[in-house]
Amino acid sequence: MSTALAVRDLRASIGSVEILKGLDIEVGFGELHVIMGPNGSGKSTLCHVLMGKPEYDAAGSAVVSGTEMLGTSVDVRARHGIAQAFQYPTEIPGITLRELFEELAEQRADGAALLARVDDIAARLGTARFLDRPVNEGLSGGEKKRSEIFQLAVLAPAIAVLDEIDSGLDVDAVREVAEAVERMRGPDIGVLLITHYNRILQYLTPDRVHVMVAGRIVRSGGPELADELEETGYAELVAEFGIKQEDAATGDDFLAGL
Amino acid sequence: MSARPEPEARWLAELREQGLEAFAALPMPTSKEEVWRYVDLDFDLADLSMPEKAGTPLGEGRFTVAGIGGARIVDGFVDDIVQPDGVTITPTSEADPAALEAAAASVIPPDLDKFSAAHHGFGTDGLLVHAGKGVAVDGPIVIDVQAVTPNALSLPRILLVAEAQSDLSVIVVYRSPDEGTFYVVPQLQATVGDAARLRLTTVQAWGYGTVSVGQQRTVLGRDASVHHGEAGIGAGLGRLHFFVDIDGAGAHSEISGLYFGEDDQLLDYRAFINHRAPNTTSNMFLKGAVEDASHSVFTGLIRIEEEAQRVNAFQTNRNLVLSDEAGAESVPNLEILANDVKCGHGSTVGPLDAEQRYYLMSRGLDRIHADRLQVRGFFEEAIGKLPHQEMAAAIRRAVNEKYVRAQEEGRL
Ligand SMILES: Nc1ncnc2c1ncn2[C@@H]1O[C@H](COP(=O)(O)OP(=O)(O)OP(=O)(O)O)[C@@H](O)[C@H]1O
Ligand SMILES: [Mg+2]
């Protein structure tokens, strides 16, 4: 059985700036992996590069369910089974979420089945009210995250890439979103969850936790690694693996500059 | 061209005189004049003939809609009046003088330009729609304006009068055959009395060989409200030069619209919103797209007179440029003489949004369908604001079809 996602020596740059500097990660079907790491370390870039966002130049390899994805277009990847919950979901004015699903259903061989599960999943996640509103428009930060997880649940991908799905959520919402992720899990899906906070991990038990610094995975471990990071922060890892110190303003410098 | 004398009100007779004089005195406009910039007029009005009588009317079209009454104007000749209850529809030549008199307040000046001069000087007959004081109707009056005689000039005229406290709803569809050249100078004027309400939708559904240079003016009384919806779909040259004169305190003007140019269409909107009384509000929201070698122009001027304090006035014009050879101009302007006002404008011209495309494709839509959805969504906001939602489906279909066709034919 192939893995859900196998990333090897992934590099990505924008213009002449290299953001991902040789990254390896492997998420098996049924697994949940977590990536943590300081702001600007390249976590969202990884998500976009996996999704095929055109502005990045990527090299290396990213294989999903046995198929190389680098070099293919965004929609091909989506149909092959990559789905991303965006850290900053884009508003689509004038198109309701239901219309988006309907359009998708027309494009997909399994469209009827997809449409058939929309209302059930919406009822379960309490997201029915988003269906008749324009996609992400006028939604609060937390509502956008719920809408993202709702869409992913409907899409039922092979690899779900969740970029800070828990940021900006109130305590109840974190639990609900975590439950939604938990329900998505299964033998046919791998989940890659990017987060800054341990609290979502109170409800989800990851198989692996990875730390990303300056475009590389610098440490990997079991669930206990997340707890450790909570205690220690990233300072040591940044000092060891990070970009040159003068480029990396510390929080204190930032505050002093205000 | 030749004038066609007919019995008419004295002010109409005077206008005709003024029109003839202005027509003789004024040159054809050129694109050197700011208000005609981008317009290439390759004909002379004086060379055009006018039909002696109406040609054979067109059958039902894609924008044909049922109303509670209405009329048809073919080649400038009024026919087929269906009289609704409450509102009176007549040719101006047969109109009640008192009703006609109220229309004088919203006349479009004959010396505006050579087109308006021609309209007044040579116009055949007008159509007067008159809602008396306090009259409210529960459906639209539908006016089907057609140009059907090729290579000829027609000068259709619509006069709307909504007396105090009345409520009038009018849909005007302008159309001509797809094949052949037609010249039209339509004028639509509306006098909207104190606390009266007018809902007006105009659909420019001319064939692509049609040159339409139209003028429109609405004049609002105290606490009056006008909601004008515009859909610019057809015409090779489709120009609308329009004036909203907010003369009565407390009045409100709302303009919502959309346009979509393809082929080598030029869609040219010149909007002049004049606040001449205090506590008045206006809002304009126009969305347009251009593809192929088409061009659109929007220039909007909001002018707020010194006596017009406590005014709110906004205009928004957003444009999608879908092909390299297409272009959109958007020039909103404010001229504010009063000091206690809230005014603003927003104007954008640009290609489809790459982030929206990425987001939609990341859900599994191919680029063609992602862009199609984005275009549809872009117009949806404007379509949702049209005052006659019974027209929404046909208008939605017409604009989306243009884009889909261009995609399918590989023109983008
Ligand atoms: N489109 C872009 N143009 C320019 N720089 C970019 C672009 N995308 C990412 N970067 C840069 O790459 C680095 C990594 O950004 P990325 O968004 O991947 O970080 P992140 O780990 O997701 O951070 P955060 O935790 O704040 O979300 C940053 O320095 C960012 O400024
Ligand atoms: Mg990020």
Side-chain angles (χ1 to χ4, degrees):
Chain A
M1 180 75 191
S2 60
T3 46
L5 174 69
V7 173
R8 301 257 179 279
D9 193 27
L10 186 64
R11 294 168 183 278
S13 52
I14 273 204
S16 59
V17 183
E18 191 171 47
I19 302 169
L20 301 184
K21 298 170 181 164
L23 188 144
D24 298 272
I25 194 167
E26 188 162 321
V27 181
F29 282 107
E31 292 183 349
L32 167 70
H33 287 223
V34 168
I35 297 182
M36 303 180 91
N39 294 133
S41 56
K43 303 179 300 296
S44 293
T45 301
L46 170 63
C47 300
H48 292 311
V49 168
L50 290 176
M51 199 72 247
K53 194 175 191 188
E55 63 211 57
Y56 299 92
D57 291 322
S61 167
V63 172
V64 171
S65 309
T67 306
E68 176 62 55
M69 290 284 108
L70 291 196
T72 63
S73 67
V74 178
D75 57 315
V76 165
R77 297 181 197 207
R79 288 195 296 272
H80 188 70
I82 308 182
Q84 179 183 184
F86 288 81
Q87 182 177 0
Y88 304 110
T90 307
E91 296 182 358
I92 313 289
I95 298 298
T96 66
L97 190 51
R98 189 183 293 283
E99 287 168 329
L100 172 55
F101 285 137
E102 284 167 356
E103 189 72 24
L104 271 173
E106 271 184 44
Q107 303 294 306
R108 282 170 59 138
D110 61 348
L114 183 147
L115 273 191
R117 59 182 178 257
V118 165
D119 289 299
D120 281 349
I121 296 176
R124 206 174 71 213
L125 299 181
T127 49
R129 65 185 191 283
F130 301 148
L131 280 168
D132 297 311
R133 296 180 57 169
V135 178
N136 293 322
E137 202 179 45
L139 265 52
S140 76
E143 286 173 335
K144 283 182 184 169
K145 302 288 180 178
R146 284 165 177 259
S147 172
E148 291 290 294
I149 202 76
F150 171 36
Q151 290 178 57
L152 261 62
V154 170
L155 291 171
I159 176 78
V161 181
L162 312 177
D163 193 0
E164 296 200 26
I165 195 70
D166 56 336
S167 290
L169 296 184
D170 63 44
V171 279
D172 295 327
V174 170
R175 182 175 30 82
E176 286 165 26
V177 163
E179 281 165 11
V181 173
E182 193 55 47
R183 288 198 71 137
M184 252 167 69
R185 296 186 63 180
D188 301 325
I189 184 173
V191 179
L192 184 59
L193 179 120
I194 285 145
T195 183
H196 285 296
Y197 308 105
N198 255 352
R199 50 183 197 166
I200 194 169
L201 302 179
Q202 290 168 9
Y203 311 102
L204 293 169
T205 309
D207 295 285
R208 298 288 287 166
V209 174
H210 310 273
V211 184
M212 186 164 173
V213 173
R216 288 189 186 91
I217 301 294
V218 298
R219 263 191 82 183
S220 297
E224 69 289 346
L225 179 54
D227 299 323
E228 186 192 322
L229 289 167
E230 184 95 330
E231 295 281 312
T232 61
Y234 300 113
E236 230 170 87
L237 289 168
V238 169
E240 188 177 348
F241 299 100
I243 36 181
K244 294 188 301 296
Q245 206 55 43
E246 58 265 34
D247 295 342
T250 66
D252 290 348
D253 293 342
F254 178 71
L255 290 174
L258 285 179
Chain B
M1 289 190 291
S2 63
R4 225 175 299 268
E6 63 194 38
E8 58 191 359
R10 195 138 75 95
W11 64 273
L12 279 174
E14 279 167 14
L15 274 176
R16 182 180 293 278
E17 274 311 307
Q18 291 166 22
L20 289 170
E21 273 171 37
F23 188 80
L26 289 169
M28 278 295 280
T30 72
S31 55
K32 291 200 181 69
E33 295 163 58
E34 182 53 39
V35 76
W36 288 95
R37 216 172 139 197
Y38 311 109
V39 183
D40 178 23
L41 297 167
D42 58 356
F43 64 95
D44 191 329
L45 275 171
D47 297 337
L48 300 175
S49 64
M50 292 175 59
E52 291 295 323
K53 59 180 177 47
T56 310
L58 303 169
E60 290 201 349
R62 61 188 314 182
F63 297 105
T64 302
V65 61
I68 56 159
R72 191 164 61 190
I73 305 177
V74 179
D75 290 336
F77 298 90
V78 172
D79 76 351
D80 217 15
I81 290 177
V82 178
Q83 204 59 245
D85 286 340
V87 173
T88 313
I89 306 179
T90 50
T92 45
S93 51
E94 296 162 21
D96 169 52
L100 198 53
E101 202 59 42
S106 53
V107 159
I108 294 153
D111 59 358
L112 177 71
D113 56 34
K114 196 162 182 103
F115 287 87
S116 186
H119 183 96
H120 286 287
F122 305 103
T124 39
D125 201 0
L127 181 78
L128 177 71
V129 178
H130 179 253
K133 191 171 176 197
V135 168
V137 291
D138 60 354
I141 310 271
V142 178
I143 305 173
D144 179 8
V145 180
Q146 306 181 7
V148 299
T149 302
N151 305 313
L153 171 69
S154 62
L155 307 167
R157 176 186 298 187
I158 297 168
L159 302 91
L160 307 178
V161 174
E163 303 270 11
Q165 285 109 39
S166 67
D167 189 343
L168 185 61
S169 162
V170 177
I171 295 171
V172 184
V173 178
Y174 297 99
R175 56 198 185 116
S176 52
D178 290 334
E179 303 293 322
T181 307
F182 305 84
Y183 298 90
V184 200
V185 182
Q187 285 199 349
L188 186 155
Q189 54 167 100
T191 305
V192 184
D194 293 351
R197 178 162 88 130
L198 170 66
R199 275 165 299 159
L200 169 68
T201 294
T202 49
V203 182
Q204 320 283 336
W206 305 111
Y208 284 2
T210 295
V211 173
S212 170
V213 180
Q215 299 91 34
Q216 186 169 312
R217 181 174 175 212
T218 45
V219 176
L220 285 73
R222 196 178 181 89
D223 295 322
S225 99
V226 173
H227 187 175
H228 172 213
E230 155 75 14
I233 292 158
L237 165 60
R239 178 182 160 96
L240 185 60
H241 192 168
F242 63 104
F243 304 86
V244 177
D245 293 325
I246 308 176
D247 289 354
H252 175 65
S253 159
E254 188 82 29
I255 296 168
S256 322
L258 65 160
Y259 47 86
F260 196 139
E262 65 174 344
D263 203 6
D264 56 1
Q265 285 187 278
L266 171 61
L267 305 178
D268 184 14
Y269 289 95
R270 307 280 166 165
F272 294 82
I273 315 295
N274 302 305
H275 286 263
R276 310 205 275 218
N279 299 312
T280 52
T281 52
S282 72
N283 192 25
M284 175 154 46
F285 185 89
L286 279 180
K287 280 193 153 183
V290 281
E291 62 187 23
D292 301 333
S294 66
H295 282 82
S296 67
V297 182
F298 167 79
T299 54
L301 175 66
I302 299 175
R303 184 181 156 90
I304 302 182
E305 299 289 350
E306 207 176 332
E307 63 271 28
Q309 298 294 357
R310 294 169 307 280
V311 161
N312 274 349
F314 293 93
Q315 53 183 336
T316 304
N317 176 232
R318 309 226 174 274
N319 295 277
L320 277 182
V321 179
L322 300 166
S323 317
D324 292 344
E325 279 179 69
E329 307 296 327
S330 181
V331 190
N333 282 301
L334 297 171
E335 208 175 300
I336 304 174
L337 307 178
N339 51 28
D340 183 11
V341 303
K342 279 205 193 96
C343 262
H345 54 69
S347 148
T348 53
V349 176
L352 284 169
D353 182 62
E355 292 294 327
Q356 284 194 46
R357 177 184 292 142
Y358 171 51
Y359 188 87
L360 292 169
M361 288 178 73
S362 80
R363 297 309 185 222
L365 295 180
D366 61 28
R367 182 177 165 143
I368 295 223
H369 288 87
D371 288 355
R372 206 174 277 187
L373 213 57
Q374 188 182 151
V375 168
R376 192 170 111 200
F378 174 81
F379 282 114
E380 214 45 48
E381 201 181 355
I383 291 172
K385 291 182 198 287
L386 292 174
H388 292 97
Q389 283 298 306
E390 58 267 55
M391 300 300 286
I395 290 169
R396 176 183 296 118
R397 209 172 310 123
V399 288
N400 288 319
E401 222 176 68
K402 287 199 189 200
Y403 185 67
V404 170
R405 212 164 38 220
Q407 279 187 325
E408 285 172 350
E409 293 170 9
R411 284 187 271 120
L412 295 171

